[in-house]
Amino acid sequence: MIILFANQKGGVGKSTLAVLFSNFSVQKKNRRVKVIDMDFQQSLYNKHLNSDLLENEKLYEVELSKISGFRNISKVATRNPNLLTVIDLAGTMDDDNLVQVFKDSGLIICPFCYDEYSVTSTFEFCYVVKKINPESKIILIPNRVKTSVKYETLDSVNQALSKFGELTSPVSDRIDFQRITTSYSPKTLDPILDPIFNKIFNDYIDESSWEVETI
């Protein structure tokens, strides 16, 4: 199964949530995971390199790839049904190779923020994805939500976005997110993220097809 973390709007926590989901998948679901960084900033890949320098336990491999390399990634994923392939996708909609990406991915996890520009970009992103692949499964995660701020349009935004996919509970903006690595997730984030990630596994990842392999 290929899982995309994607949104055309940057700064919504896409790479951070991709790392946390990958950590969760290995540490709490005992899955085999391979992570592909397709983002231009390569922040996930650089985080992985920093973790290696600290000689932390390696939970999974992280590779760099351009969007044009997706076909080969998809072939590898098809040959390895027990492998969970997590892709941190570049924040762009101007690449023709994205058509195949959206067609072949089993799940698209789309973090967004409640500011006007992020919401507008998220609408546009989801609309394009559904035009390319009407059967695509999209999970929308309200991220970096400030608990001290009252969002006047929150209900209407949620109602409109729910037409494209399932909305999760909100993820609050916390300093703990700055402490994550590709081998470590702060325990203080468990009460926020574990219910979201568990629901994704229960609702969208077929448990019967994920037999644990001995490595």
Side-chain angles (χ1 to χ4, degrees), residues 43-109:
S43 58
L44 199 159
Y45 181 74
N46 290 331
K47 191 179 288 290
H48 184 64
L49 292 181
N50 291 337
S51 184
D52 276 354
L53 290 174
L54 295 173
E55 298 183 351
N56 291 324
E57 179 186 1
K58 185 179 293 186
L59 299 179
Y60 44 80
E61 295 295 332
V62 179
E63 297 180 2
L64 288 174
S65 176
K66 295 181 179 179
I67 298 175
S68 58
F70 178 79
R71 288 183 183 275
N72 288 333
I73 293 168
S74 183
K75 289 178 182 178
V76 172
T78 301
R79 292 197 300 266
N80 295 274
N82 292 318
L83 179 67
L84 186 63
T85 303
V86 177
I87 298 179
D88 182 14
L89 194 64
T92 180
M93 299 298 282
D94 298 328
D95 192 318
D96 291 341
N97 293 292
L98 286 170
V99 172
Q100 197 64 43
V101 174
F102 295 141
K103 284 184 176 180
D104 286 1
S105 297
L107 189 62
I108 300 172
I109 299 177

Side-chain angles (χ1 to χ4, degrees), residues 28 34 36 64 90 93 119 123 135 212:
K28 298 190 177 183
K34 184 175 185 178
I36 310 294
L64 288 174
M93 299 298 282
V119 168
F123 272 113
E135 302 302 317
V212 178

Side-chain angles (χ1 to χ4, degrees), residues 106-211:
L107 189 62
I108 300 172
I109 299 177
C110 179
F112 70 98
C113 300
Y114 280 116
D115 63 272
E116 182 179 355
Y117 185 41
S118 175
V119 168
T120 301
S121 295
T122 302
F123 272 113
E124 293 172 354
F125 172 79
C126 292
Y127 178 81
V128 172
V129 169
K130 284 294 188 179
K131 279 293 184 182
I132 294 172
N133 181 12
E135 302 302 317
S136 61
K137 299 175 182 177
I138 301 176
I139 299 174
L140 295 129
I141 302 182
N143 195 30
R144 296 183 173 172
V145 177
K146 300 184 185 300
T147 55
S148 60
V149 176
K150 184 178 181 181
Y151 297 93
E152 300 290 344
T153 60
L154 186 146
D155 289 340
S156 59
V157 167
N158 287 348
Q159 184 176 3
L161 285 176
S162 65
K163 296 176 182 178
F164 296 107
E166 180 180 351
L167 264 80
T168 71
S169 55
V171 177
S172 59
D173 192 16
R174 301 177 61 133
I175 193 70
D176 296 340
F177 284 103
Q178 299 179 21
R179 297 167 47 217
I180 74 163
T181 71
T182 53
S183 59
Y184 171 74
S185 300
K187 294 291 185 184
T188 51
L189 297 177
D190 288 356
I192 301 172
L193 296 174
D194 280 11
I196 295 173
F197 292 160
N198 271 317
K199 193 171 191 308
I200 290 173
F201 267 90
N202 292 338
D203 294 353
Y204 295 95
I205 299 175
D206 184 5
E207 294 287 334
S208 64
S209 67
W210 293 92
E211 297 178 359

